[in-house]
Amino acid sequence: MQNFINAYSWVNIHYLLEGLWITLEVSAVSIVFSYILGAILGLIRYINVKYLSAIVGFVIDLIRNLPLLLIIFFTYFGLPNIGIRLNPIWSSILAMTIFESAMLAEIIRSGIGAVDPGQMEGARANGLTYWQAMWHIVLPQAQKKMIPTIVSQFISLIKDTSLATIIVLPDLMYHAQIIYGQNSNYILPMFVALAVMYFVVCYMLSILSHYLEKRLA
Amino acid sequence: MISIVANHWQDLLYGLGQTLLCSILALFFSLIIGSLFAIFEVVPNKFLRIIARVYIEIFRNIPLLVITMFFYVVVPMFFVKVNGFTAGTIGLTIYTSAFIAETVRSGIQSVDPGQMEGARANGMTFSQAMRYVVLPQAFKIVIPPLGNQFINLVKNSSVLAFVAGFDLMYQGNTIASTTFDTLNSYFVVGILYLVITMPLSYYMRYLEKRLD
Amino acid sequence: MKKIIRYLGLLTSLCALVMILSSCGSKAATSNESVLKTAESNNTIVWGVKADTKLFGLMDVKDSKIKGFDVDMARAITKQMLGPSGKASFIQVSSQTRIPLLKNGNIDAIIATMTITPAREKAVDFSDHYFNAGQSLMVKKGSPIKNVKDLDKKGTQVLAVTGANSVANFQKVAPKAKVLELQDYAQALQALKSGQGEALTTDNGILLGMAAQNPGYQVVGGTFTKEPYGIAVNKGQKPFVNKINQALQQLRENGEYDRIVKKWFGNIAGFNYKEAEK
């Protein structure tokens, strides 16, 4: 018990919260980027532009089938070879964005595909252009169905940022390791703190997803 | 790249084997645990439902790395020694079982409730109806998503690299840091991962299409 | 049949993609911009340091600053090279990430308990050595293991860190033991405490730092290698290396070096800092 009290000193909690902040920052930026990119790629996949869609589809498949850890290594160690130097934070954001937008593209493609084609035809018959019908009729409906899947993908993203400790991203996981690395009495308290912090963040997001689902349905 | 394969093919092959072994073991156990919790979620017993819900929510919302490190670092301090491979496999099993529980549950729920009623009406108990009527149909529906879970497992097994589990990613790290040829080492490792995951994911897509 | 052809097509294009990427990857490995010039114009040197290694580079949770011998040395060298207003900025590295980061240009130099070895000299250039360590073993107090020979048995597991040369060194003297490589020293120490291996092997300075903090553990068997630490710089940066060597020489002459060594190693039991200074 004493270990827990000592471990949760203000200094340590503050340090953990700093790490949590980095985790949230990296996740939030990656979520925004990957949602935009994923939607664009998903649309390209869906509307079947000759060659482009096939190439995009193949690249998406490649990324989806590689471990995220490997993509993190490529952005951190590989990109500087073509002149792009990123610090661990931006490398992680980029890796997350690449990986998650590939995941999201697939979700969005199949989400749009699941909307009744009659909706599109009806909208077109009423004089909307293809893109108007897509934007105002098809996408909102697809979005409603996709929300749970997309949010659980975002939850994965938050959890997966912990993998970036391998390139010394100073996130929650790394900060916890620094603390228990210096005093092994703190190991158990730190794991409890890690579990609680990650859980609270991710669970809040999944509650939000249930709420959105109900609101939009 | 060729020199890496030529000099380290034994390590790479061993790593590939460990990755596959760990993924298959974790799939096997997480299927059992996941299905168990999925059934808990649909049985008419509030207590079991709560247990299942709590298990699933906890392990879906904590990073795999935290779970794995817990078994590698914390458990041995208080209970028994767990080596890296075992810690990784346990971590993967627990983590994946929460997802499989969700998948199987939605599979069970998508089976027409009339099936259950019909089976019960014909004199089967709840568990008989579950076992012989509902579950076989549910599993047919969930095969493609389960396949995708297996692909995730193979990818996620890279977490073994953090706990010296001698998997493909660990071998990649070791090769990269002894040859200093970082990019090419990871290219080779990447291709080996794709060799497992790509055909699987195309096959799952094919199955999905056929089911539609 | 059509499917097979399509699949083969995909595979060949994948191979082609990899070939192209890897060829442009290996071409640009050494850049030709002068690190020294950039450092002088920015008035800053970017150092890669450890953040998990007691005495050499350890993160202080209170103020989020890295503290240790390597960090102080880096500061002193920077001031010596760029003048009193010169700034040293620090990036945390692990044994695994430090060489790729240096070759990428993310950091200008590595000062992170890095031994000068012939294998590494093929990838990077080293300054003169600034510290003499030697590889040793740390075990739980009361362990039957007294020296490295006790570990040379089938079934023995020993812990080390990925990217550290202690792995290869150890395998030379105890080829029968199995080495488990972990991400950094903090993880390796935890693994030792969790009973994942019988001993942890790395340089004596690092081990003594750990033992001072963890009373249940001790360093045994003396040193079985010589580990001169050097500052690593990317290939093709001779002027930068020369300037570092010059700064090191000046620091040794003006007593600053001696002061920094004493500050960190003066009170460490079982450590002969005079030996390390040679």
Side-chain angles (χ1 to χ4, degrees):
Chain A
M1 202 59 224
Q2 195 55 41
N3 284 342
F4 275 83
I5 295 166
N6 293 343
Y8 297 148
S9 67
W10 171 238
V11 170
N12 286 351
I13 291 290
H14 179 80
Y15 193 65
L16 280 181
L17 289 176
E18 263 178 29
L20 180 64
W21 177 247
I22 297 282
T23 295
L24 293 178
E25 206 174 58
V26 168
S27 316
V29 178
S30 317
I31 282 174
V32 173
F33 284 166
S34 60
Y35 188 61
I36 297 170
L37 193 63
I40 294 170
L41 294 176
L43 265 177
I44 293 175
R45 286 279 285 143
Y46 177 74
I47 55 181
N48 233 331
V49 188
K50 219 178 183 179
Y51 301 121
L52 180 65
S53 293
I55 295 169
V56 168
F58 181 62
V59 174
I60 288 175
D61 281 342
L62 276 187
I63 294 169
R64 273 162 46 87
N65 284 303
L66 283 173
L68 175 59
L69 207 48
L70 209 55
I71 296 170
I72 294 175
F73 284 136
F74 280 130
T75 56
Y76 198 45
F77 297 143
L79 280 184
N81 285 317
I82 51 170
I84 305 168
R85 269 174 221 159
L86 299 169
N87 62 22
I89 293 183
W90 282 102
S91 299
S92 315
I93 290 176
L94 185 64
M96 295 289 162
T97 304
I98 291 173
F99 185 73
E100 293 300 331
S101 56
M103 294 302 215
L104 287 176
E106 265 311 289
I107 296 172
I108 288 167
R109 183 192 63 88
S110 62
I112 301 173
V115 175
D116 178 9
Q119 298 281 341
M120 176 57 108
E121 284 159 29
R124 297 292 300 273
N126 280 316
L128 294 179
T129 65
Y130 181 84
W131 286 109
Q132 283 173 329
M134 191 56 131
W135 186 254
H136 294 289
I137 312 288
V138 178
L139 279 183
Q141 291 187 47
Q143 196 150 19
K144 228 180 283 174
K145 287 194 187 136
M146 292 183 295
I147 279 180
T149 331
I150 290 181
V151 174
S152 68
Q153 202 56 50
F154 288 159
I155 293 175
S156 294
L157 191 155
I158 296 176
K159 292 183 292 178
D160 286 345
T161 49
S162 60
L163 293 177
T165 50
I166 207 157
I167 55 162
V168 203
L169 174 77
D171 71 332
L172 179 55
M173 185 80 197
Y174 184 77
H175 276 202
Q177 289 180 348
I178 288 276
I179 294 174
Y180 75 64
Q182 296 178 16
N183 186 338
S184 46
N185 289 330
Y186 294 171
I187 288 187
L188 187 59
M190 281 307 124
F191 271 88
V192 172
L194 272 180
V196 169
M197 284 182 176
Y198 276 114
F199 180 81
V200 168
V201 172
C202 295
Y203 193 62
M204 267 171 19
L205 207 59
S206 77
I207 289 174
L208 180 75
S209 134
H210 290 308
Y211 171 77
L212 281 178
E213 219 180 326
K214 277 200 191 112
R215 269 289 299 273
L216 292 170
Chain B
M1 220 160 79
I2 292 153
S3 71
I4 284 172
V5 178
N7 293 333
H8 299 277
W9 63 272
Q10 282 162 320
D11 299 331
L12 288 165
L13 222 56
Y14 185 72
L16 192 69
Q18 293 291 96
T19 291
L20 273 175
L21 180 64
C22 154
S23 310
I24 290 167
L25 284 175
L27 180 73
F28 177 74
F29 290 115
S30 58
L31 257 179
I32 295 174
I33 299 172
S35 311
L36 197 68
F37 280 111
I39 294 168
F40 279 7
E41 278 219 287
V42 294
V43 292
N45 179 328
K46 206 167 174 204
F47 179 65
L48 288 182
R49 274 212 302 273
I50 291 173
I51 290 187
R53 217 47 258 156
V54 168
Y55 178 88
I56 293 170
E57 288 300 345
I58 287 182
F59 291 113
R60 265 173 20 132
N61 290 310
I62 294 177
L64 170 61
L65 183 58
V66 175
I67 304 173
T68 305
M69 291 302 278
F70 180 84
F71 281 96
Y72 192 62
V73 171
V74 183
V75 170
M77 293 192 86
F78 300 99
F79 306 106
V80 283
K81 193 183 141 185
V82 185
N83 70 25
F85 183 82
T86 317
T89 311
I90 296 175
L92 276 168
T93 302
I94 292 177
Y95 184 76
T96 314
S97 66
F99 288 90
I100 286 187
E102 283 290 273
T103 316
V104 174
R105 179 189 56 91
S106 68
I108 293 174
Q109 284 172 343
S110 67
V111 174
D112 180 6
Q115 300 274 343
M116 178 55 123
E117 285 159 30
R120 297 293 299 270
N122 280 316
M124 285 188 179
T125 63
F126 179 85
S127 57
Q128 281 175 331
M130 201 62 170
R131 195 167 147 205
Y132 297 111
V133 181
V134 179
L135 279 185
Q137 294 183 57
F139 269 106
K140 216 177 276 168
I141 300 170
V142 298
I143 280 180
L146 283 182
N148 289 329
Q149 282 301 341
F150 183 66
I151 296 170
N152 280 340
L153 256 175
V154 173
K155 294 191 292 170
N156 285 340
S157 67
S158 56
V159 79
L160 261 72
F162 285 89
V163 291
F166 289 90
D167 72 318
L168 198 47
M169 189 63 81
Y170 175 85
Q171 304 290 7
N173 287 342
T174 326
I175 295 168
S177 54
T178 45
T179 59
F180 306 114
D181 191 351
T182 320
L183 266 192
N184 283 328
S185 311
Y186 289 126
F187 267 127
V188 173
V189 168
I191 290 170
L192 288 176
Y193 273 107
L194 288 178
V195 166
I196 312 175
T197 53
M198 271 301 229
L200 259 175
S201 93
Y202 280 117
Y203 182 62
M204 288 306 144
R205 199 170 289 167
Y206 164 77
L207 275 187
E208 259 168 58
K209 272 208 186 110
R210 221 183 51 176
L211 272 176
D212 284 347
Chain C
M1 194 59 209
K2 226 172 145 190
K3 253 195 200 104
I4 296 172
I5 292 173
R6 224 186 105 209
Y7 198 70
L8 283 177
L10 285 177
L11 268 181
T12 37
S13 49
L14 167 67
C15 290
L17 190 79
V18 167
M19 291 295 178
I20 294 164
L21 282 173
S22 66
S23 66
C24 71
S26 41
K27 231 187 294 168
T30 42
S31 67
N32 37 19
E33 43 187 300
S34 163
V35 174
L36 182 60
K37 279 206 184 100
T38 336
E40 276 168 350
S41 68
N42 297 336
N43 204 26
T44 307
I45 298 176
V46 184
W47 297 91
V49 291
K50 293 264 183 78
D52 67 319
T53 313
K54 175 96 171 141
L55 298 178
F56 289 91
L58 187 73
M59 174 63 77
D60 187 338
V61 176
K62 284 188 205 75
D63 52 13
S64 295
K65 286 204 172 82
I66 306 170
K67 290 167 187 171
F69 172 70
D70 279 344
V71 177
D72 283 357
M73 279 304 289
R75 278 216 187 85
I77 293 167
T78 310
K79 295 259 185 282
Q80 202 62 238
M81 284 168 75
L82 302 176
S85 68
K87 278 197 286 291
S89 96
F90 296 104
I91 288 184
Q92 302 170 29
V93 298
S94 65
S95 294
Q96 192 192 346
T97 62
R98 60 190 174 190
I99 289 184
L101 288 188
L102 181 71
K103 298 195 79 66
N104 289 343
N106 274 324
I107 51 182
D108 296 335
I110 305 170
I111 181 158
T113 65
M114 194 167 170
T115 308
I116 304 169
T117 67
R120 283 181 184 149
E121 276 175 325
K122 284 183 201 142
V124 298
D125 280 339
F126 279 103
S127 71
D128 298 337
H129 73 273
Y130 67 93
F131 191 83
N132 267 318
Q135 192 169 338
S136 189
L137 299 170
M138 184 164 87
V139 295
K140 203 178 180 135
K141 270 190 185 147
S143 156
I145 286 145
K146 297 280 172 273
N147 58 47
V148 71
K149 287 277 160 280
D150 293 341
L151 290 164
D152 191 17
K153 279 182 228 137
K154 250 199 146 43
T156 326
Q157 298 197 324
V158 176
L159 302 155
V161 170
T162 309
N165 62 313
S166 38
V167 179
N169 286 341
F170 182 79
Q171 279 164 341
K172 248 176 253 154
V173 286
K176 288 190 198 121
K178 187 174 180 184
V179 181
L180 304 180
E181 298 176 34
L182 286 128
Q183 283 305 314
D184 54 35
Y185 291 115
Q187 301 307 322
L189 176 63
Q190 281 338 310
L192 179 69
K193 290 187 172 177
S194 311
Q196 305 290 353
E198 269 104 300
L200 168 57
T201 183
T202 184
D203 302 337
N204 55 350
I206 302 171
L207 290 178
L208 286 163
M210 287 182 187
Q213 228 176 4
N214 298 277
Y217 292 82
Q218 60 183 355
V219 181
V220 294
T223 57
F224 54 91
T225 61
K226 283 206 187 323
E227 305 287 327
Y229 289 169
I231 295 165
V233 166
N234 205 355
K235 283 269 178 215
Q237 302 291 346
K238 258 286 161 256
F240 191 49
V241 181
N242 291 340
K243 198 86 193 262
I244 290 176
N245 283 337
Q246 197 189 333
L248 273 174
Q249 192 55 39
Q250 286 161 348
L251 288 173
R252 277 179 189 270
E253 277 160 13
N254 68 17
E256 179 74 3
Y257 173 75
D258 200 41
R259 195 188 63 75
I260 299 174
V261 172
K262 276 202 188 113
K263 171 180 168 192
W264 290 101
F265 301 97
N267 303 321
I268 301 297
F271 190 78
N272 183 355
Y273 69 85
K274 289 274 180 242
E275 197 62 37
E277 279 185 359
K278 272 180 195 165

